Amino acid sequence: MTLPFSNLNRKQKLFIATTFAVFLFVYKLIFPTLTSLGSSIINDIIIIVSIYFWYLFVIDLKSTTIISPLPIVLNTGIVASIIFFILSVSSAAFERFTALGIENDFLLIILAILIAYLFTAFHINIFVSLRALFFLKQKKDYSKFFIITLIFFSLTFFSHTVYWWHNDLAYIKSAFNVVASILILFNSTRVAWIAFLNKKQKIYLLIVSAIISIICIFIAGKLEHGNIINELIHNFSPGLTTLFNLIIVYCATYYIIIFFTALFHLPTADAFDRRNDELTSLMDLTKLINQVFDFNELANTITASTARVCNSDYAWMVTKKNERITISSVFNVGYLEAETITKIFIEENTSLFDEVIISNYEKIKNKLDENFRMSNFSYFAIAPLKVYDEINGYLVAARKNNYTFDEDDKKAIRSFANYASIALENAQLLEQSIEKERLEKELEVA
């Protein structure tokens, strides 16, 4: 579901938006005060059409940028802070302006128009940012709900102008306000993108969303209670203050929901980060195995990834050939330590095994030489590297704290061990191919 005129190119949208903005400027110079319902309606039609095309233009302008939630959130926070700052200093600034003896009605009209334009630009920016977050990471098409929100925001905008001239039509204004509020609440629940953030980003979002919510609440209060900016905008168009209030309320509601959603997601953020890191590492390993034929390079990558994903302090990979073991790669541990622990483990587990075995330091401590200095190990996880149903090595992860490896850790280590097995098999096949080629050349020479 698309908006009318959204298929126009960027230059056309800018031209139409600018034309209506200029026309509105001239109209306000000719009719600075609203003397009847008819003039107010014409005034509001020009305003809403201008806002609509500026809205389309800003959407088109931002559509070329990379959609990332945190920059959008930060942009909203900056714009909201600027609005709050202007509202906070506006009364003192206006008093200073009048104290200079500048009481020319023409200059006041120009000032009111510029303030209305400035605040319109700010609120369009906030609304477009909310729209971008609304559609972010959505699996279903909710565009019709957002278009309905636009329609009822516009109807509420006109209803307040009508109410300004006919107080007996308050029920129409109230009805549109209620529907707009319901739509704001519904739209504010579209926060699926929070689940895709890592823990650090969620903490950042938690802090920023709390600040934006508080700022928006203060802005709504200042726009509602006799601020000089509010009076100037209200004289410019009674419905415009209502539209600004709706956008600010939408912003406050949305970021309050973001705050609590991020807070509830925080306890599971570590698990999500780990799964994401594991998936990314496995995808990278798949790419490396298809492109890199150096087994040592692959072994270093697999060892480092195992330690990172499994929250291990140490990791190493051992290859086994003709009952002789070789340390292929180590992470944060010495070769001598890795070799000593592996030999003790092999002596204790002479039989073939398929699954990851969890052991602890107490089981091997008595078999170590008293003069042998070792790091502060606590638990080990050992996965076999099987090639053609033979164990040709081991992938080992170790921790120095007293937390053993759980089932998720075992699955992750098993996955990395499988990739290490493939890399080892490829290395053996490459070695056999090179040896075969050498023999063929010798045979040709002979």
Side-chain angles (χ1 to χ4, degrees), residues 351-411:
S351 59
L352 191 69
F353 64 93
D354 294 321
E355 297 301 322
V356 178
I357 292 180
I358 306 299
S359 184
N360 59 47
Y361 180 67
E362 296 298 325
K363 292 181 179 180
I364 67 170
K365 184 172 65 174
N366 296 329
K367 297 186 178 183
L368 292 172
D369 189 341
E370 293 182 359
N371 297 324
F372 185 74
R373 299 182 63 184
M374 184 170 284
S375 300
N376 186 22
F377 291 103
S378 180
Y379 283 94
F380 305 93
I382 304 97
L385 309 183
K386 297 187 68 176
V387 179
Y388 303 120
D389 292 328
E390 287 187 27
I391 294 180
N392 285 3
Y394 302 94
L395 180 63
V396 185
R399 288 176 178 169
K400 61 183 179 181
N401 55 37
N402 292 321
Y403 295 98
T404 187
F405 292 89
D406 57 22
E407 287 301 318
D408 289 335
D409 295 323
K410 291 171 68 175
K411 289 178 182 178

Side-chain angles (χ1 to χ4, degrees), residues 75-183:
N75 173 72
T76 306
I78 293 171
V79 174
S81 300
I82 293 172
I83 294 174
F84 178 72
F85 175 76
I86 294 175
L87 289 173
S88 300
V89 302
S90 58
S91 297
F94 192 78
E95 289 176 3
R96 178 68 176 169
F97 184 81
T98 54
L100 294 173
I102 304 174
E103 298 178 356
N104 189 308
D105 291 339
F106 180 77
L107 292 178
L108 291 175
I109 293 169
I110 296 294
L111 178 64
I113 294 172
L114 293 178
I115 288 174
Y117 279 17
L118 183 64
F119 271 72
T120 301
F122 287 151
H123 286 80
I124 288 174
N125 188 292
I126 290 176
F127 193 72
V128 171
S129 297
L130 293 172
R131 176 190 177 276
L133 294 175
F134 175 88
F135 288 107
L136 195 62
K137 301 291 184 181
Q138 291 294 340
K139 301 301 181 183
K140 295 182 180 179
D141 184 12
Y142 290 103
S143 58
K144 60 182 178 181
F145 293 104
F146 206 84
I147 292 174
I148 292 171
T149 302
L150 287 176
I151 293 171
F152 274 92
F153 272 31
S154 302
L155 292 174
T156 308
F157 168 77
F158 283 107
S159 70
H160 276 255
T161 298
V162 174
Y163 168 72
W164 192 44
W165 291 96
H166 297 282
N167 294 340
D168 54 329
L169 298 177
Y171 65 94
I172 297 177
K173 178 196 75 168
S174 301
F176 285 132
N177 270 333
V178 170
V179 176
S181 300
I182 293 172
L183 289 169

Side-chain angles (χ1 to χ4, degrees), residues 186-206:
F186 174 80
N187 291 352
S188 298
T189 60
R190 305 296 100 188
V191 290
W193 51 271
I194 295 177
F196 297 89
L197 302 178
N198 59 42
K199 185 175 182 180
K200 186 181 293 185
Q201 290 172 326
K202 285 173 183 173
I203 293 173
Y204 172 85
L205 181 65
L206 195 69

Side-chain angles (χ1 to χ4, degrees), residues 6 25 78 199 210 224 226 232 275 285 334 339 343 345 347 378-379 423:
S6 60
F25 186 85
I78 293 171
K199 185 175 182 180
E224 193 70 28
L232 291 173
R275 290 294 185 189
L285 284 175
E339 185 178 15
K343 284 181 178 179
F345 172 77
E347 290 173 1
S378 180
Y379 283 94

